Amino acid sequence: MKKISLIIFVALISFNLIGLKVSADEKFTLSGKVTSISLTDEGGVINVSSKAGRYGKVFLTYNLKRDNPNIETQGSFSGRGVGITDDGNRNAGSRQGVWRREGNIITFHSLDDVTDGNRNFCISKLNLTTETLEMTFYAF
């Protein structure tokens, strides 16, 4: 019974992964600056701001958690983003994903749901030394 349940579970996960179609033609990049880092016993909070094209001035928050106490260099995160254009239009998004730190670089992989109807797969690289963030969004 356990084997059958495992096979069904793997099959369902496989079907869901096939359903995520990321288009390299529909990508959007931005460069941001870390505005604050707060450390907690569970992980930490990182805030970033940037100019982001159609979204205007963008503010992002990453709430990092270390889910496995045996591995201090990776975990999960949740976050929020809000963008305000020069003419006052506002969009916001929720972000969920995983992170991994290698040296002074933290890489985030997230799925973002934005109020304008866009959904994005996002890869972000935060440099802790220069306090900069490079993000690439892929629409799906």
Side-chain angles (χ1 to χ4, degrees):
M1 188 63 168
K2 283 184 179 182
K3 288 183 182 180
I4 292 172
S5 296
L6 179 62
I7 290 169
I8 292 171
F9 177 74
V10 170
L12 289 173
I13 294 295
S14 298
F15 291 138
N16 284 335
L17 290 176
I18 292 168
L20 177 63
K21 295 187 188 252
V22 175
S23 171
D25 295 335
E26 297 182 46
K27 75 178 182 178
F28 176 80
T29 61
L30 68 84
S31 297
K33 184 76 177 153
V34 173
T35 58
S36 69
I37 296 176
S38 300
L39 303 177
T40 67
D41 290 338
E42 295 79 32
V45 178
I46 299 171
N47 292 297
V48 175
S49 69
S50 178
K51 282 294 231 177
R54 67 178 179 236
Y55 293 114
K57 182 72 172 186
V58 173
F59 302 92
L60 303 163
T61 297
Y62 295 83
N63 300 297
L64 281 66
K65 289 176 57 178
R66 284 191 352 239
D67 300 313
N68 183 340
N70 297 322
I71 304 175
E72 294 188 5
T73 58
Q74 68 185 41
S76 65
F77 78 94
S78 63
R80 301 279 311 153
V82 65
I84 302 175
T85 64
D86 290 340
D87 57 0
N89 290 323
R90 179 185 181 276
N91 279 291
S94 66
R95 315 186 76 221
Q96 293 76 226
V98 293
W99 63 271
R100 169 176 271 162
R101 183 183 60 78
E102 296 174 291
N104 65 341
I105 304 294
I106 300 175
T107 301
F108 300 92
H109 292 90
S110 67
L111 295 174
D112 303 347
D113 181 21
V114 186
T115 55
D116 64 0
N118 288 315
R119 298 176 308 158
N120 299 301
F121 170 66
C122 182
I123 300 172
S124 306
K125 293 200 179 278
L126 184 138
N127 185 314
L128 293 167
T129 303
T130 62
E131 297 182 356
T132 57
L133 180 80
E134 300 295 326
M135 303 175 74
T136 303
F137 299 90
Y138 300 91
F140 69 94

